[in-house]
Amino acid sequence: MAEKLMKFSEAVKRFDPVIGLETHVELCTNTKLFCPAHIEFGGEPNTQLTPVSLGLPGSLPVINETAVDFAIKLGLALHCEIAEWSQFARKNYFYPDMPRDYQISQYDKPTNGNGYLDVELDDGSIFRVPIERAHIEDDAGKNTHVGGADGRIEGADHSLVDYNRAGVPLIEIVTKPIEGAGERAAEIAGAYMRTLRDIVRALGISHARMEQGNMRADVNVSLRNKPTDPLGTRSETKNVNSFRGIEKTIVYEIRRQAALLSDGGEVLQETRHWDEASQTTAGGRLKTDADDYRYFPDPDLVMLHITKEHIERIAKDIPEMPRERRNRLQGEWKFSDLEMRDVINADALDLIEDTVKAGATASGAKKWWLGELSREANAKGVSLEELPITPADVAEVEKLIASGKLNDKLAKKTVSGVLAGEGTPDEVVKKHGYEVVQDTGALEAAVDKAFADNPDIVEKLKSGNMKPMGAIIGAVMRATKGQADAKAVSGLVMKKLH
């Protein structure tokens, strides 16, 4: 049965929303957090395993130093306090994809704590999101439920477990309650997640591909009557793996909880799941508190000691952060604020930068990635970077246009050929003979024929009426199968008229 919802505008007038995000970022180390098992996305199920990642008796964990350094990098970028001593604990619960029946995580002594992240909103304003902690832990495996209607366990005939992901290193970034967001709660959450994604990519610690599960978030939402009241009971929507899904989850939960509270109902402290198909959340299980996980220090792992000297060495390797990089590129490319916002919203910044590095102009690169290629990606339901065309390909097309070998129409055909897997732009041009007609004699013959076929239009042009010029140029373009340069044709027509 559909749940009752309140209009969003009314909900945020009557209640004060408070949100929180628990973001899991999968680190791009070569091996797992506590064992040398290789990590590779999309590998054959249950092939990336060791006795440690399977939790077999007698196996002992050994910490991955690279994962710790990655955590320190992120802590510095999030303005966190890096603990000199941190500790791993066992988080006990049973679930089929957790082979040890407990997760190794950090509880009361995390590596990173008490930080913040400033995020830029659509109108250019800055909102500071407080960070409670960014701790290290290992991931669970993956369950696949077979036979159900929507891939969930309800109604499934059986379930399959793949332990390849079990033991992959994660950093979980937990915000403090985000207060004062009001009607912009969803926008703030989306901006925070995109900024966080950009940071971990810039640091080189994660691929942050949400569609591959490299980055996902648990979304907490609660309502209270006014900002001075205690925090309300929160729902926690688990493992939302798209920016839009996170934003829509927040809007839906605010509307759902507002309707429930206004009718005198009670919000349950529970986990929920976002259903992309129905654009709704659905109840899962009652949410447990920390005590129910029976945390205790892992007896197989000593405390982690991070010296100030080690932190200083890592700090020297911190690259340019995303906002500073965006500001620099915007100045170099001479893009307006609106143009740069369009680039960011299209997730095309890296692609455009790489295209410019390959020899294209910034305006030309933007034209392709935000125009023809963006339409292609939307039509196929994929991201821009998933299209079978590289920044080098786009730069090559731009060079062919600049050299006069291609016009806009032929360039679009060339790009379509690349997308179809016909090779590089140069190979596509040669295969189809797409080059602009350079033979002056052939162009003159085409113009002469257009004059002969359209004597009435020619008379108008000779009398000074230039409006029908397009008809002559169009006739020439048809005669040359679109391979004439319109500017050259126009010049030739004018020369013959006079």
Side-chain angles (χ1 to χ4, degrees):
M1 185 176 71
E3 294 180 288
K4 185 177 179 181
L5 303 175
M6 181 181 289
K7 270 188 169 183
F8 181 76
S9 57
E10 182 181 352
V12 292
K13 282 182 182 178
R14 294 186 57 180
F15 298 97
D16 176 47
V18 179
I19 61 173
L21 295 160
E22 301 168 28
T23 308
H24 294 80
V25 174
E26 187 177 286
L27 302 180
C28 58
T29 54
N30 293 323
T31 57
K32 294 185 179 181
L33 185 56
F34 298 112
C35 74
H38 180 67
I39 300 171
E40 181 183 359
F41 178 78
E44 284 295 314
N46 296 311
T47 57
Q48 300 165 25
L49 303 173
T50 68
V52 174
S53 55
L54 282 173
L56 296 182
S59 61
L60 293 173
V62 178
I63 189 68
N64 184 327
E65 185 178 351
T66 301
V68 175
D69 287 350
F70 282 2
I72 295 169
K73 276 187 177 183
L74 183 59
L76 292 170
L78 297 179
H79 309 95
C80 288
E81 299 168 1
I82 314 296
E84 182 180 0
W85 293 95
S86 52
Q87 187 174 49
F88 288 98
R90 294 186 179 183
K91 182 180 181 182
N92 294 274
Y93 62 92
F94 172 75
Y95 207 59
D97 60 1
M98 186 63 72
R100 292 185 302 257
D101 291 349
Y102 63 85
Q103 181 183 30
I104 300 178
S105 183
Q106 292 181 322
Y107 175 44
D108 56 342
K109 296 179 178 67
T111 298
N112 304 308
N114 195 31
Y116 66 87
L117 180 59
D118 289 334
V119 299
E120 185 174 347
L121 305 182
D122 286 344
D123 61 1
S125 61
I126 302 298
F127 189 96
R128 176 162 292 185
V129 175
I131 305 292
E132 181 175 320
R133 55 196 283 141
H135 63 263
I136 310 168
E137 62 186 22
D138 63 354
D139 206 351
K142 181 181 179 182
N143 293 321
T144 302
H145 306 297
V146 182
D150 57 0
R152 294 180 61 185
I153 194 168
E154 291 83 3
D157 296 327
H158 61 281
S159 298
L160 303 174
V161 184
D162 179 8
Y163 287 129
N164 280 353
R165 199 173 65 185
V168 169
L170 297 175
I171 298 179
E172 181 176 355
I173 304 102
V174 182
T175 70
K176 295 178 181 178
I178 302 172
E179 304 180 70
E183 64 183 6
R184 305 186 77 175
E187 179 191 354
I188 289 167
Y192 166 79
M193 290 297 297
R194 289 181 177 90
T195 304
L196 191 59
R197 185 271 312 272
D198 292 345
I199 286 174
V200 299
R201 284 185 175 177
L203 293 172
I205 66 174
S206 175
H207 301 303
R209 298 283 295 273
M210 298 191 79
E211 72 279 4
Q212 292 184 2
N214 299 148
M215 184 173 174
R216 54 194 188 271
D218 299 339
V219 182
N220 295 276
V221 179
S222 68
L223 300 181
R224 56 189 176 185
N225 288 321
K226 55 183 184 296
T228 54
D229 288 346
L231 296 175
T233 302
R234 62 187 171 91
S235 66
E236 180 181 356
T237 305
K238 303 289 287 186
N239 293 323
V240 188
N241 66 346
S242 73
F243 300 127
R244 197 63 62 85
I246 290 167
E247 293 165 348
K248 289 182 177 179
T249 292
I250 290 172
V251 171
Y252 183 87
E253 277 299 292
I254 289 174
R255 296 180 65 196
R256 182 187 71 85
Q257 293 184 25
L260 191 60
L261 292 172
S262 66
D263 288 343
E266 182 181 354
V267 175
L268 297 177
Q269 184 171 320
E270 62 178 348
T271 63
R272 296 181 71 85
H273 303 279
W274 171 252
D275 186 336
E276 185 65 32
S278 65
Q279 301 283 288
T280 63
T281 65
R285 58 178 172 82
L286 293 179
K287 176 65 177 174
T288 52
D289 292 317
D291 291 344
D292 297 313
Y293 290 120
R294 304 188 311 282
Y295 282 100
F296 65 88
D298 193 306
D300 293 333
L301 290 162
V302 298
M303 290 191 74
L304 192 61
H305 183 213
I306 302 172
T307 65
K308 290 182 179 179
E309 292 76 17
H310 191 70
I311 295 172
E312 288 171 359
R313 282 198 299 271
I314 291 176
K316 291 177 181 178
D317 294 331
I318 298 293
E320 183 181 32
M321 285 293 95
R323 197 197 307 169
E324 288 73 21
R325 175 183 169 225
R326 286 198 300 269
N327 292 340
R328 173 178 60 79
L329 290 175
Q330 182 176 354
E332 290 176 1
W333 296 344
K334 297 180 172 53
F335 284 0
S336 67
D337 290 344
L338 181 59
E339 287 176 318
M340 201 62 179
R341 197 166 300 137
D342 288 341
V343 169
I344 300 302
N345 291 340
D347 199 15
L349 186 69
D350 291 343
L351 294 167
I352 291 175
E353 183 180 25
D354 289 343
T355 306
V356 172
K357 286 179 180 177
T361 63
S363 58
K366 179 173 74 71
K367 176 193 72 175
W368 283 107
W369 288 110
L370 268 60
E372 199 74 19
L373 295 173
S374 184
R375 286 190 289 273
E376 180 75 12
N378 290 335
K380 291 184 175 179
V382 299
S383 65
L384 281 172
E385 61 184 12
E386 290 178 281
L387 289 175
I389 188 169
T390 67
D393 291 332
V394 175
E396 188 178 341
V397 171
E398 277 291 289
K399 290 174 186 175
L400 290 170
I401 294 172
S403 68
K405 291 183 178 179
L406 292 181
N407 57 28
D408 285 344
K409 184 176 181 179
L410 293 175
K412 289 180 181 179
K413 287 184 177 182
T414 301
V415 166
S416 295
V418 175
L419 292 171
E422 296 179 3
T424 65
D426 191 52
E427 290 170 342
V428 173
V429 168
K430 289 178 180 177
K431 178 180 179 180
H432 295 281
Y434 281 157
E435 284 194 36
V436 167
V437 175
Q438 303 286 352
D439 186 342
T440 305
L443 281 183
E444 286 192 3
V447 172
D448 289 341
K449 187 174 187 307
F451 274 29
D453 292 343
N454 301 277
D456 53 334
I457 292 177
V458 173
E459 288 304 316
K460 290 179 181 178
L461 295 175
K462 286 182 176 179
S463 66
N465 181 3
M466 292 292 110
K467 288 182 179 179
M469 173 72 84
I472 297 294
I473 295 175
V476 175
M477 296 300 285
R478 285 191 296 274
T480 58
K481 297 180 180 179
Q483 292 181 232
D485 179 70
K487 188 176 180 181
V489 173
S490 178
L492 195 54
V493 169
M494 294 301 293
K495 180 180 177 182
K496 286 184 174 294
L497 286 173
H498 295 92

